[in-house]
Amino acid sequence: MGEAQQPTKLCSQLASCQSRLAVSLLRQSFSLSAPMAEYHLSAQLHGHEDDVRGICICGDVGVATSSRDKTVRFWMQDPEKKREYVLSKTLVGHSSFVGPMVWAPPSDRFPEGAIVSGGMDTLVLLWNLHTGEVVGTMRGHTSQVTGLAIDDNGDIISSSMDCTLRRWRDGNAVEVWEAHKVAVQTVLKLPSGELFTGSSDSTIKLWKGRTCLHTFSGHADTVRCLAQMPGMGILSASHDGTIKLWALTGQPLLEMIGHTSLVYSVDAHSSGLIASGSEDRSVKIWKDGICVQSIEHPGCIWDAKFLDNGDVVTACSDGVVRIWTTDNNRFCSDEELATYTDIISQYTLSRKTVGGLKLMDLPGVEALQVQGNTDGQTLIVREGDNGVAYSWNSKELKWDKIGEVVDGPGDAAQGQVYDGAHYDFVFNVDIGDGEPIRKLPYNRSDDPYAVADKWLLKENLPLTYRQQVVEFILQNSGQNNFVPDPSFRDPYTGGNAYVPGQPSSSNGSAPKQTFKHIPKNGMLLFETAQFEGILKKITEFSATLASDSEQKHLSLSEADFSRLAAIVKVLKNTSFYHTSKLADADIVLLLKILKSWPSQMMFPVIDFLRMFVLHPDGATLLLKTIESGNDVLRETFRKAVAIPVHSPNVLTILKAVTNLFDNPCLHQWLKTHCAEIIDSFSSCKPSFSKNAHLAYATLLLNYSVLSIESKDEQSQAQILSAALEIAEDDAQDADSKYRALVAIGSLMLNGLVKSIALDLDVKSVASSAKASMDLKIAEVGADIELLTR
């Protein structure tokens, strides 16, 4: 045993030596022996209408910020009040939330500099700061753009959830390569030339051109952000709650532990200070690897960056940009500080729980004026910042005070992280007999018996402790009224969960989470049509063509109209689809019209095709034509979405493509062209009508079902990204939003993209949905929230 332990001890000693060496180098490099002055609030920049997602320091010109509100805003220092900033420009061009940005210094082309931004809409946009206009749109990514960098030669490098890096030159992609097998979260270009990427696979890669020179491993979860540590190497922030310092050779030098949730950003200053931002609502300032200050915010911190003067700029989910300074000449006024302190207090109070209940949801003391219903009835009321329990005394007709309600060992720390995962509670369990304290993670949605069994096996403890562990969980999670799932089956005895006083059964099945709206099974279709209206419009357009000497040959003959009428008769009799037939000549006529008629006249024929493919023969005839080498379906699709966009064409082709999902024989065609179809429709979204938005959401929902069946992770990621855009758009109607949310939940539950959804902040989407006044949206929001635990 002794020999087996020596390597572990030696590794531990080496790691300790490396950390001490790193701290020593930090101190030598940056001379930080003097006590550090604390950061104080300097300024607050109001203007964004939603979460601020990114910060870009634009030299000494100003600061750019990006937001979930789809804008980039550029702020300049107030010439009169040096500590304050004023909004200079609002850059509008993205169709979804904006994330990464990078600054291009002034040049001949851009005298005031330029900004490059990337968004959920998959676009990379180049902005001229002098005019505030988009001067370059780079299309190619199939999922959210997550990182940006500018090379020495002016090339733009972008990373994306689609697993690729792209190099852009003069607006064109000159290089594209798969950097990781899963989402790329960030890209960093050092002045010395090194290019690094961080990924959801928990690794960092060093690149030379398209060749990976080295892979850095050490994080236990997604690597979200990379930053240069001058003179030392690079810093990484991770969803595992840590920040790491790495040598450029890949050697881990230092680990900084202090955040209690996902770490989204990290940055370093030339002085050697490090700033990190987290889901735990704090920005932490690190010196020599030690956290020397934690700055609380009223929301999660998406980004934190140093200004050259050492001030720190933070991007918060409350929509406010804040600047923090150690220079007392730039401190904000006492009134502004008092207001901010009050906001923090109110926010903390709104999240405070007592006995598992939200303090703000408790009734006030006035509730004690109402008599109780039964003797011993318990009532918890809010008294100041505390919850106090009372018991109804029916003999004396008054409420007797029981005492102050306190949190269980996990209530006060919502969203605790253990082994890189989030839990409602992480209990400290004292087994006794000199045994060390054990950690027991638990979510309210879990079956306590299943959790107890799994934990006892993991900790190598006797299963005889089972009931004690379950009672401990229920008591400390405020679930004393817990009713076991009757379908629960003990994995060891085959019986149901033991409940004192109740007989156990030997039948049942394993417990599992239940959801109201996910996963989606089967396809949604557009099965109704006004055939008379469709034929009337086709007749009208044919007459228009017949009256034009140059287009007369495109008009339909009497025989053509007779054939269309015969097809309609077959399509109307849906109850006879199992016996009725369509002929080769039928599909030939439809495709001839689609191919030859002007694009502005296509929509009634596309609508005809929408119904045609619902007939078994119709789908088979269409596939037969495609397999013969004549993919007129793809040709029709491209013609229908071509610029300039014709709204009726877009709506009808959306519904027609959605109906293709009805017959499995066309599923391969749909899978092959998935990326093109979603990209093309996404580009058309500005022209969408309400009905088109619903059809697009339906298309994505069907694609989610198909991609889950085929286990196509790349398609799932693109579908997820597109569905999140809909779910986050407050202008969407309830039906469209609901279908997008069902697609998201289904992909998370049965697909391969749950981690990507978490990286894309699906928690916020679920939270917003849960607060909806529409019941079905609120319920599917609750379904998705269960999956984030």
Side-chain angles (χ1 to χ4, degrees), residues 41-45 83-85 321-323 330 332 336:
L41 182 64
S42 174
Q44 300 185 85
L45 283 52
R83 75 169 182 84
E84 297 184 5
Y85 282 74
V321 181
R322 294 180 176 87
I323 300 176
R330 295 198 295 275
C332 69
E336 189 173 358

Side-chain angles (χ1 to χ4, degrees), residues 56-63 103 307-308:
C56 180
I57 308 301
C58 305
D60 58 0
V61 178
V63 175
W103 160 246
L307 293 170
D308 286 345

Side-chain angles (χ1 to χ4, degrees), residues 92 122 130 165 191 448 521 573 659:
V92 180
T122 75
H130 176 67
L165 286 181
N521 296 309
N573 293 322
N659 280 4

Side-chain angles (χ1 to χ4, degrees), residues 376-398:
Q377 176 187 346
T378 301
L379 177 66
I380 302 175
V381 299
R382 185 177 70 253
E383 294 185 9
D385 290 350
N386 300 305
V388 180
Y390 288 84
S391 176
W392 178 246
N393 185 330
S394 58
K395 288 183 179 179
E396 301 182 20
L397 297 179
K398 69 184 184 74

